[in-house]
Amino acid sequence: MRLVKLLANLGYGSRKEMQLAIRNGWVTDRDGNRLKPDSKTAHEDVLFDDEPLDPAQGVVLLLNKPVGYTCSTKDHGRLVYDLLPDRFRTRKPALSSIGRLDKETSGLLLFTDDGTFLHKVISPKSNVPKVYELALDRPLKGDEAALFASGEMMLESEDRPLKPAQLEVLDDTTARLTLHEGRYHQVRRMFAATGNHVAQLRRSRIGALGLEGLAEGEWKALSDNEKAKIFA
């Protein structure tokens, strides 16, 4: 791919703007040599304004989402994309979240521009577990774990039962729940069906991938080994 197209696809600007950037010497290799539009320099060796390029196509990002941000590109208010560099909004292919967390849910959120990878993560065949930490308004009654694990629980307005889910009770009002599917507001609806209300909700893990070392609001690109943990 020509350098001008590569930079434009990464969201640094239009092709015309990238031609100007190259002409002005803002695009170099790691030795400081100016690059030309047809330079064959490897992606990892290209610098834009003395900074390494953003990850190439096929990237998977991990974000520690704070409460108050919406998983959308169009809604009003604070969006998860506000926590990423502005240019990420105009990458081609587009960067999409892998599933969603509602506005009042925090924790682990993935993004990718790789449609095949996205569908692999969310496919029922992959059976990727998702772990949530939660706090409830009222004490647990004691029968929730058996109900969630039964594979017979039905949510209102749905016509098929939930897959078995594992509930680990931490104390009277806090618990850890592991799901193997991702229905709309599933955790909140499950507890609502038992007469309780989820006051705080955080996704802490997808597969064997967690948020270790990543502060709230921070993001990073995943290595191949980290991506593999999703399916571990």
Side-chain angles (χ1 to χ4, degrees):
M1 185 184 299
R2 295 188 74 227
L3 186 56
V4 168
K5 184 178 180 180
L6 171 64
L7 295 172
N9 285 356
L10 290 175
Y12 285 95
S14 67
R15 293 196 189 189
K16 184 176 181 180
E17 289 170 333
M18 293 304 95
Q19 287 174 340
L20 179 61
I22 292 171
R23 192 157 57 241
N24 287 341
W26 300 345
V27 186
T28 66
D29 63 18
R30 290 187 177 273
D31 294 324
N33 300 309
R34 289 188 175 197
L35 298 181
K36 298 179 180 179
D38 57 354
S39 295
K40 302 297 184 182
T41 309
H43 184 110
E44 61 271 17
D45 293 327
V46 178
L47 302 182
F48 187 94
D49 201 15
D50 295 326
E51 294 291 335
L53 293 185
D54 293 332
Q57 182 179 344
V59 66
V60 179
L61 303 182
L62 169 61
L63 170 70
N64 188 350
K65 175 190 174 295
V67 167
Y69 287 81
T70 303
C71 293
S72 170
T73 58
K74 299 178 180 178
D75 289 350
H76 298 294
R78 295 185 295 178
L79 309 178
V80 290
Y81 291 92
D82 296 338
L83 300 168
L84 305 175
D86 287 344
R87 58 183 175 272
F88 278 27
R89 294 176 187 248
T90 54
R91 282 177 65 110
K92 296 177 183 179
L95 196 63
S96 303
S97 62
I98 302 179
R100 293 190 170 197
L101 295 177
D102 66 50
K103 185 176 181 180
E104 300 308 318
T105 300
S106 63
L108 196 159
L109 182 64
L110 298 173
F111 297 83
T112 189
D113 58 4
D114 183 340
T116 299
F117 185 87
L118 185 155
H119 289 296
K120 182 179 179 182
V121 176
I122 65 176
S123 170
K125 294 181 180 180
S126 297
N127 198 36
V128 174
K130 306 173 191 70
V131 181
Y132 296 84
E133 317 282 342
L134 57 102
L136 300 163
D137 271 352
R138 291 178 286 280
L140 291 157
K141 294 184 291 187
D143 61 350
E144 293 90 351
L147 174 63
F148 295 169
S150 68
E152 299 176 355
M153 185 178 186
M154 296 284 292
L155 294 178
E156 185 177 354
S157 76
E158 297 202 3
D159 58 4
R160 58 187 174 88
L162 298 175
K163 288 184 177 182
Q166 294 74 51
L167 181 69
E168 179 186 353
V169 176
L170 303 178
D171 62 32
D172 287 350
T173 58
T174 62
R176 182 177 295 117
L177 181 65
T178 302
L179 303 181
H180 298 272
E181 57 187 333
R183 303 197 197 181
Y184 179 72
H185 287 175
Q186 183 173 342
V187 176
R188 298 184 188 278
R189 294 168 67 201
M190 288 171 70
F191 281 96
T194 71
N196 214 326
H197 174 75
V198 176
Q200 296 178 21
L201 185 60
R202 175 178 178 267
R203 184 158 66 192
S204 59
R205 193 165 294 275
I206 294 181
L209 179 69
L211 288 164
E212 293 82 0
L214 196 65
E216 193 171 82
E218 292 185 347
W219 64 274
K220 68 176 183 178
L222 296 183
S223 66
D224 288 342
N225 287 338
E226 288 172 320
K227 286 188 280 188
K229 287 184 178 181
I230 296 169
F231 308 102

